[in-house]
Amino acid sequence: MLDDNALTGSIKTDFTDIYTQPDPRAYFGALAGLEYQIPQRALPVVEAVLAARSAGDPRPVLDLCCSYGINAALLRHRLDLDDITARATDPDLADLPADELIEADRVFYAERLRRPDLPTLGLDVSAPAIDYARRTGLLTDGWAEDLEAGDPSPELAAGVARTGLVVCTGGVGYIGHRTFERLLRCMDDPGDAWLVVFVLRVFDYADVAAALAEFGLVTERVEGETFVQRRFADDGEFRAANADVARRGLDPTGREADGWYHADCFVTRPAAVAATTPLPDLLAGVGAGNR
């Protein structure tokens, strides 16, 4: 975990069993009951940063800790998270063999494509999740590797070299500065990278921001908003999260104290861009209301 002192690091519910299935039915079946919503909450910020970054820029978006390609599905298709959840939990698909479901999902997403020219890459430790996202076309390419544990493979290093935007909506806490450092060292021009990273408030992001600064990048927190991730699964999560937030000097009132994980959003940009375009201006069109 990112912060060894965080109680959440040892008490947060382990979703490994549902996270390593050949398709996302079990994953969404579990998370839907917890009102999982961070990818949808994050989307307006990611869209605003993508628009600012991508004027004529064809470089891919990399979804870090991408699971089954949810962020790619939202970015590239005429769908919201409710649509994706409804698809994955459709009782008519519950008994379909995984290979047949994957083929049906490939057709489903292809019929709803809205951004065919946006390459989307994925990195995650779950090989089945990456395989699903690649076979359905949600990801242009993807790799199942653990950059906390070791250096990237030559295939991963070559595949992410042209990345222009990194998105992460739930991985920090499982990954930390080592993953970001190893990832940026693969890029052709890491000093021109943009990142949008959502971090649960139980974790400190300072080490990652400091690592990114070594590449000439500036990291800023989106002020005035937090972003709902999901409800706590049990009393253990509730108590740990509230203790961790208080330990960091933050107020859980109206957030964790109400039974929800909340995340801060951090936007990282090249220093020259950050110096000329204040972050509030870049996000001026993004509506409030996540709290």
Side-chain angles (χ1 to χ4, degrees), residues 102-123:
I102 290 170
E103 175 57 23
D105 280 357
R106 184 190 65 77
V107 174
F108 174 83
Y109 285 110
E111 290 174 345
R112 291 158 178 82
L113 190 62
R114 69 180 175 95
R115 262 198 187 117
D117 297 328
L118 178 66
T120 48
L121 309 175
L123 175 62

Side-chain angles (χ1 to χ4, degrees), residues 144-241:
E145 299 188 24
D146 182 357
L147 298 192
E148 287 296 294
D151 289 333
S153 67
E155 293 78 15
L156 170 58
V160 302
R162 295 184 59 254
T163 298
L165 173 63
V166 177
V167 174
C168 184
T169 59
V172 172
Y174 299 102
I175 62 170
H177 66 91
R178 294 180 187 84
T179 290
F180 287 90
E181 289 167 348
R182 286 168 169 153
L183 185 61
L184 263 69
R185 283 199 291 266
C186 296
M187 295 182 186
D188 292 340
D189 188 2
D192 194 38
W194 293 57
L195 298 91
V196 182
V197 181
F198 292 80
V199 183
L200 293 183
R201 298 194 329 141
V202 298
F203 298 121
D204 189 346
Y205 193 58
D207 284 353
V208 176
L212 296 174
E214 295 296 318
F215 294 92
L217 302 173
V218 172
T219 298
E220 300 166 273
R221 182 171 67 86
V222 175
E223 299 287 348
E225 287 295 323
T226 60
F227 298 78
V228 176
Q229 190 208 44
R230 63 167 172 85
R231 288 191 179 277
F232 297 127
D234 53 37
D235 187 59
E237 283 195 339
F238 173 85
R239 288 184 287 103

